[in-house]
Amino acid sequence: MTFLPENSGAPIAEAAKKELLRGYPTKVARKREKQIVLNRVGEGDLVPEVQANTRTVPGIITQRGCTYAGCKGVVVGPTRDILQIVHGPIGCSFYAWLTRRNQTRVAEEGLGLTTDNFMPYCLSTDMQDEDIVFGGEKKLKLAVQEAFDLFHPKAIAIFSTCPVGLIGDDVHAVSREMSEKLGITVFGMSCEGYKGVSQSAGHHIANNAVFTHVVGKNLLSFEGKWKINLLGEYNIGGDGFEVERIFEEVGLTLVTTFSGNSTFESMSSAAYADLNVVQCHRSINYMAEMMETKFGIPWFKVNFVGLRSTAKSLRKIAEYYNDPELTANVEAFIARETPAVEQVLAEIKPKLAGKTVMMYVGGSRAHHYQELFNELGMKILSAGYEFAHRDDYEGRKVLNSIVIDADSRNIETLKVEPSPTEFQPRVKNEALDYQDYTGMMPEMDEGALVIDDISHHETEKLIELFHPDLLCAGIKEKYVVQKHGIPLKQLHNYDIGGPYTGFEGAKNFYAEIDRLVNGSVWKVIKAPWQTSPQLSGAFVAK
Ligand code: CFM
């Protein structure tokens, strides 16, 4: 059996799966077997079950991050003017300083937005031995006071890292006390790294906190015929800016994004919108649901990655508002901008069509970016998520059959009721699908390998078997993969690139993938292990 792309499909994927599992201890292989699945799309988009959102086996080198990363780094981090303090040892803040490349605009005259921008700062309580032994609450209060005196923010958010939970510091009590004392919003989050099996738990904790302490304060008012919130867009490499540009061109009024290029005040006013569109389902679906229950704002899934999916998403938004004026704007915009994108595609596609790609990213991009690769005619041999849940793979129709284990029960689900004063039902078009997401798998080829929480060993094995033309993952994988002579595109922070959303983004992406895949450097690379002996060791049982 040769693992060449022309042999792809179910039999080859089956054989590859066996190879991936070979060498694991029986118990580990039995677990991984449920997380490595051959895609098959049956009637009603029924796909096989993927085990997801479960603990990584200790000892396996995973791509995953921690709960604190999902809370601080992902959901709250991109908000420009909520001053963010990390309560914990300094090491937890090492990556807190914009390595995710989430961008923001500092000043927007006339939009009523603040010019405060705390994103270039990294504030930590820098816990020491003494704080671990005697408690860190006093130090945290001092830190909040000091931060307030220096920056005078409108709001402060406090993030707990592992030791905070272990020693029992009460960040919520400190937040309440300091909020009263300073007369501003201060809220804490118990997002200790160990709280969940991955950063996904941190998303949920952040959603709960922002919903409780920020949304509904209504600090700004918004005028506009078609008011909308964009959920799950974090403005990596300027992605959010491109969506903002498109919204502006077609006449949509963006109240707030959760949370790329957002502010405390814009998020506080989210309830003014008449529609929530969700880009990243994994990280923000909780917010969409809670806002629907409390305020009556409907939501649906969109995708602004890819030429066709951007157009499709815009058309669905226009259908929602059901206003001929908006429909005309959207159609005119699509007609105006599509030809230039198609021209770039026509030049590049012949150079990339038929090339193979594998993608292992987060909890939504391994799906979204398939659109762009499909447009380029590239073949997706395998894709998977670090921390998605089954609904992100198989679609929300499986939500009721997801087993809630002790790890997920650990994260609070807020009880939300319709607001007696602010609930206002506003579905403007009954004919559309709401609250739906069909997941990644129904759109993938039969026999494509779907891999949840891929390990480093499996990545190397796949490279050995398939030698794909491109791999998409993150910084932890990048250089090992490239030493194999295979280009790696970082789909988390985009290396130095972006935006990749919308019409401008599609052009950028096509060109970038052409440069990467067709670069001649890959053929001349010799990995160190090809010329010098590998480190080796043996496990000797006593
Ligand atoms: Fe959503 Fe994201 Fe992602 Fe995510 Fe992320 Fe990210 Fe990601 Mo990195 S919120 S799930 S936790 S789209 S940081 S912007 S790229 S893993 S696929």
Side-chain angles (χ1 to χ4, degrees):
M1 179 87 57
T2 48
F3 292 82
L4 294 170
E6 55 268 29
N7 293 337
S8 62
I12 200 93
E14 191 77 66
K17 178 174 172 175
K18 275 207 190 100
E19 283 298 312
L20 296 185
L21 297 175
R22 193 197 303 278
Y24 278 140
T26 321
K27 234 173 112 184
V28 178
R30 229 180 277 140
K31 177 166 167 39
R32 289 303 294 151
E33 197 178 13
K34 297 184 198 124
Q35 296 174 284
I36 304 174
V37 169
L38 265 70
N39 194 40
R40 280 200 182 91
V41 188
E43 284 237 346
D45 281 348
L46 261 187
V47 290
E49 181 176 332
V50 184
Q51 192 185 75
N53 193 31
T54 58
R55 292 184 194 189
T56 305
V57 176
I60 279 186
I61 304 177
T62 169
Q63 296 181 329
R64 281 175 168 175
C66 69
T67 301
Y68 154 70
C71 186
K72 155 79 175 111
V74 175
V75 176
V76 186
T79 309
R80 169 193 329 155
D81 61 355
I82 295 183
L83 193 73
Q84 308 190 10
I85 300 178
V86 176
H87 188 31
I90 196 67
C92 300
S93 285
F94 188 82
Y95 288 107
W97 192 73
L98 292 179
T99 47
R100 187 169 171 241
R101 300 185 66 242
N102 41 302
Q103 303 184 358
T104 200
R105 240 179 222 120
V106 180
E108 293 188 57
E109 287 303 320
L111 285 179
L113 297 178
T114 165
T115 54
D116 283 345
N117 176 23
F118 305 128
M119 274 167 49
Y121 294 93
C122 176
L123 282 77
S124 163
T125 53
D126 184 21
M127 284 176 112
Q128 304 289 324
D129 274 2
E130 192 180 312
D131 310 309
I132 303 294
V133 175
F134 298 107
E137 290 181 16
K138 229 165 84 192
K139 195 171 191 186
L140 177 60
K141 278 181 216 169
L142 285 173
V144 173
Q145 184 67 55
E146 191 186 344
F148 179 79
D149 294 341
L150 281 171
F151 296 101
H152 301 288
K154 296 188 178 84
I156 294 178
I158 298 164
F159 303 88
S160 312
T161 69
C162 293
V164 173
L166 299 176
I167 65 174
D169 274 3
D170 189 343
V171 297
H172 308 284
V174 171
S175 300
R176 277 192 299 274
E177 187 188 320
M178 294 311 285
S179 178
E180 250 166 63
K181 184 175 174 201
L182 304 174
I184 60 165
T185 298
V186 182
F187 61 98
M189 283 157 279
S190 296
C191 54
E192 289 86 351
Y194 58 77
K195 266 287 162 67
V197 301
S198 70
Q199 51 269 62
S200 167
H203 301 152
H204 196 165
I205 293 166
N207 276 236
N208 288 351
V210 171
F211 182 76
T212 306
H213 299 284
V214 184
V215 173
K217 284 189 188 288
N218 303 335
L219 298 168
L220 297 176
S221 58
F222 281 85
E223 296 301 323
K225 275 200 222 169
W226 313 299
K227 284 176 290 199
I228 190 166
N229 294 321
L230 174 62
L231 274 61
E233 168 50 69
Y234 301 95
N235 204 18
I236 314 299
D239 274 357
F241 290 152
E242 168 66 358
V243 182
E244 283 179 22
R245 178 187 76 87
I246 295 173
F247 280 8
E248 208 178 310
E249 294 251 356
V250 301
L252 290 163
T253 303
L254 178 64
V255 176
T256 193
T257 300
F258 289 91
S259 57
N261 194 31
S262 67
T263 64
F264 172 62
E265 291 182 328
S266 73
M267 292 202 302
S268 84
S269 312
Y272 288 125
D274 289 320
L275 174 67
N276 283 334
V277 290
V278 174
Q279 171 71 25
C280 169
H281 172 264
R282 180 64 271 133
S283 63
I284 208 89
N285 68 86
Y286 321 95
M287 179 67 77
E289 293 202 4
M290 291 188 289
M291 283 182 65
E292 171 143 41
T293 309
K294 185 166 179 183
F295 304 111
I297 304 173
W299 69 269
F300 52 72
K301 176 78 179 70
V302 289
N303 180 16
F304 290 107
V305 177
L307 171 62
R308 286 190 294 249
S309 43
T310 299
K312 194 171 148 196
S313 299
L314 285 174
R315 287 189 171 117
K316 185 160 177 180
I317 292 169
E319 268 182 78
Y320 170 76
Y321 289 100
N322 216 355
D323 183 333
E325 188 188 338
L326 180 60
T327 306
N329 291 355
V330 163
E331 289 307 328
F333 176 76
I334 294 171
R336 200 162 64 235
E337 298 232 344
T338 303
V341 188
E342 280 178 340
Q343 197 189 331
V344 178
L345 186 60
E347 282 164 27
I348 291 174
K349 191 171 174 176
K351 296 192 268 175
L352 287 170
K355 303 257 186 207
T356 56
V357 56
M358 294 179 171
M359 256 185 289
Y360 308 102
V361 218
S364 77
R365 291 190 173 170
H367 180 194
H368 294 151
Y369 277 80
Q370 292 190 30
E371 292 281 343
L372 283 166
F373 287 120
N374 287 335
E375 285 165 8
L376 286 164
M378 289 175 71
K379 188 167 177 58
I380 292 123
L381 296 176
S382 171
Y385 291 130
E386 283 171 39
F387 52 76
H389 299 198
R390 277 185 58 204
D391 36 322
D392 304 296
Y393 287 106
E394 304 166 50
R396 283 175 66 92
K397 58 183 173 296
V398 304
L399 272 178
N400 289 333
S401 55
I402 294 178
V403 182
I404 308 290
D405 61 10
D407 289 317
S408 356
R409 213 169 286 129
N410 214 6
I411 312 299
E412 189 188 9
T413 299
L414 297 183
K415 281 200 183 65
V416 181
E417 302 281 337
S419 158
T421 48
E422 287 176 279
F423 182 88
Q424 182 199 328
R426 57 248 260 199
V427 173
K428 295 190 186 296
N429 185 346
E430 299 286 349
L432 298 177
D433 285 336
Y434 297 95
Q435 294 190 328
D436 196 22
Y437 177 44
T438 51
M440 176 177 88
M441 290 163 77
E443 288 181 10
M444 286 179 74
D445 285 351
E446 293 275 320
L449 267 179
V450 176
I451 304 181
D452 183 64
D453 187 18
I454 194 169
S455 71
H456 190 84
H457 159 71
E458 289 155 8
T459 312
E460 293 217 43
K461 200 80 204 158
L462 286 167
I463 288 174
E464 193 185 298
L465 296 175
F466 291 98
H467 208 88
D469 296 302
L470 177 69
L471 220 135
C472 296
I475 190 65
K476 299 197 282 291
E477 298 76 38
K478 186 173 176 87
Y479 296 102
V480 178
V481 171
Q482 293 198 157
K483 282 173 186 170
H484 280 279
I486 291 171
L488 186 139
K489 176 67 191 166
Q490 287 195 69
L491 274 193
H492 298 263
N493 76 352
Y494 300 160
D495 298 295
I496 53 163
Y500 297 137
T501 47
F503 296 80
E504 288 302 318
K507 286 191 274 186
N508 289 341
F509 195 77
Y510 303 150
E512 175 108 9
I513 297 305
D514 177 29
R515 266 200 301 275
L516 257 177
V517 173
N518 292 318
S520 51
V521 64
W522 310 111
K523 296 184 194 87
V524 297
I525 283 176
K526 256 208 174 327
W529 54 83
Q530 289 173 289
T531 48
S532 47
Q534 265 184 296
L535 285 175
S536 63
F539 178 75
V540 184
K542 283 193 181 160

